[in-house]
Amino acid sequence: MSHESYELKAEARERVGKGSARELRRNGLIPAVIYGDKQAPISIAINTNEVTKRIHAGGFLTTIATIDVGGKKIKVLPKDYQLDPVRDFTVHVDFLRVSGNTAVTVEIPVHFENHEKSPGLKAGGVLNIVRHEVEVHCPADAIPEFFTIDLTGLKSGDSIHISSVKLPKNVTPVIADRDFTIATIVAPAAGLTEEAEGGEEASA
């Protein structure tokens, strides 16, 4: 499962637009919107520091949250956020309203383990990661935190495809029509191989 859920306090916004947004930011708040689930969008303002802390903690776009808008608690999934291009602070957040049967599309990070058990890597090869994240469809209340790929036994020239990843129930890749590559083990350069062999001969 994904990161632990959390709650954010928010206040409804009556006014929208650039002038209103600038005023909010001066007061330490970020304009945001809650939409989806066949209901009207709600414009809200949330605490800048709280949101920034959640973004930097990781897993922001794959973790269900609860937003308390004037006592009304709404379950959401952050779908997007915008950063100021110059000063790199958060300027807006979009939240998708979710319920028990909501399906979402999210990007799940890929983790690799047992590098030391890969003959290809031990021989000086390189793990070439084609996809650091995999985009999937899944239930909003069952978003995986990450996918783990075991490198044990992989040799130079081997490829890791999505078919070799054990996906949880009801989790399917967005690209479903082909067995796409996630990573490959690239053979070491000739010079590196010669150096390794020379080192082995010297140690012998």
Side-chain angles (χ1 to χ4, degrees), residues 20 22 37 41 86 100 120 122 131 147 159 177-179 188 200:
S20 171
R22 280 196 294 268
D37 204 28
V86 178
K122 286 177 71 176
R131 294 174 184 267
F147 297 137
S159 296
D177 59 345
R178 60 188 174 87
D179 192 15
E200 286 172 8

Side-chain angles (χ1 to χ4, degrees), residues 85-153:
V86 178
R87 289 176 287 176
D88 198 37
F89 61 84
T90 313
V91 296
H92 191 272
V93 185
D94 292 339
F95 294 101
L96 174 68
R97 203 185 268 108
V98 298
S99 58
N101 57 0
T102 303
V104 295
T105 301
V106 289
E107 292 188 340
I108 305 299
V110 179
H111 293 182
F112 298 87
E113 64 179 14
N114 294 325
H115 292 67
E116 72 285 356
K117 295 181 181 178
S118 162
L121 296 180
K122 286 177 71 176
V126 176
L127 177 63
N128 174 44
I129 301 174
V130 179
R131 294 174 184 267
H132 289 271
E133 297 176 323
V134 174
E135 192 174 24
V136 299
H137 298 302
C138 65
D141 58 357
I143 300 173
E145 187 173 350
F146 54 82
F147 297 137
T148 301
I149 292 178
D150 188 352
L151 300 174
T152 300

